[in-house]
Amino acid sequence: MEGDNIFVWDTPFIRLFSRIIKMKFSLFAPTIDDVKLILDDKEIDMDKQSDGRFICTVDNIFNGDHKYKFRIKRKEWIWSNSIDIIDPYATKYNLKEKCALFRSANGKEYHEEFHWKYDQIKLPENKQLVLYEMFVQDFADNGQFSGVINKLDYLVELGINAIELTPIMGK
């Protein structure tokens, strides 16, 4: 992603700065014939590469919140012309609208920093740990971290005092 231009609207009451950026989108789908990016309800064609990736670069993305998904199509599908999928690497998504979410700021995707707030809590000694190794997708009813929260009391009743989440992968 690269920053481009800055536009300024200046009035006696309002001064707005919006940075226009370029952003590159990519999806690995070697068995698919056609992919379109649906970005903020605009449909954008993606180019298939020889390695099976579909890519496109989108200009004029303003700072702020955006939603996107991919519309994939395969010629052999008889039951449907295409289906919409959420980016498998998305860190935020909206299940009702079936789309991924991201925030752009200053020419790149914006991620809020996490600040650990609980350093004052005394952790058990290693010999007192009762560790539960958890694969979130299988453990939680909805396959998400929010589903784990609903089952924490159950784990405490079992005597669990530490959880190892596996696998956790970044982009």
Side-chain angles (χ1 to χ4, degrees):
M1 294 177 267
E2 306 163 9
D4 273 353
N5 303 314
I6 297 178
F7 286 78
V8 180
W9 293 269
D10 209 353
T11 69
F13 304 106
I14 299 173
R15 186 176 182 125
L16 300 172
F17 293 87
S18 287
R19 185 181 267 303
I20 296 178
I21 61 171
K22 292 180 183 181
M23 191 173 282
K24 183 177 181 179
F25 291 84
S26 176
L27 177 70
F28 181 71
T31 63
I32 299 301
D33 297 316
D34 185 52
V35 176
K36 295 188 185 311
L37 169 69
I38 312 299
L39 175 64
D40 296 329
D41 300 320
K42 283 192 306 188
E43 198 170 280
I44 301 160
D45 289 325
M46 298 184 74
D47 298 320
K48 188 168 188 175
Q49 307 298 300
S50 59
D51 62 358
R53 287 181 307 128
F54 287 83
I55 60 170
C56 71
T57 301
V58 181
D59 296 327
N60 302 327
I61 296 181
F62 288 92
N63 283 349
D65 296 326
H66 301 277
K67 59 184 182 177
Y68 73 103
K69 58 187 169 185
F70 299 106
R71 183 161 292 148
I72 62 173
K73 185 189 283 187
R74 198 165 169 192
K75 292 175 186 160
E76 294 89 33
W77 288 344
I78 350 175
W79 67 89
S80 173
N81 287 338
S82 63
I83 59 172
D84 291 350
I85 62 167
I86 298 175
D87 183 351
Y89 290 102
T91 55
K92 291 185 179 180
Y93 50 90
N94 179 328
L95 281 179
K96 288 182 183 176
E97 294 187 40
K98 296 181 181 174
C99 64
L101 307 170
F102 73 92
R103 177 173 290 166
S104 62
N106 299 322
K108 53 187 169 186
E109 188 175 355
Y110 173 77
H111 296 282
E112 293 180 20
E113 275 190 44
F114 178 79
H115 298 285
W116 188 256
K117 300 175 189 172
Y118 303 103
D119 284 337
Q120 75 281 5
I121 295 175
K122 180 143 175 56
L123 300 176
E125 297 294 325
N126 284 347
K127 62 185 176 187
Q128 296 172 330
L129 283 177
V130 180
L131 185 68
Y132 186 89
E133 187 176 288
M134 179 187 302
F135 184 58
V136 174
Q137 187 173 355
D138 289 341
F139 180 79
D141 294 331
N142 63 0
Q144 301 171 23
F145 290 115
S146 61
V148 172
I149 292 169
N150 297 333
K151 292 187 168 188
L152 288 177
D153 290 336
Y154 166 71
L155 293 174
V156 169
E157 288 174 18
L158 292 175
I160 307 294
N161 60 12
I163 299 172
E164 178 182 354
L165 300 175
T166 170
I168 301 291
M169 294 184 283
K171 275 191 171 183

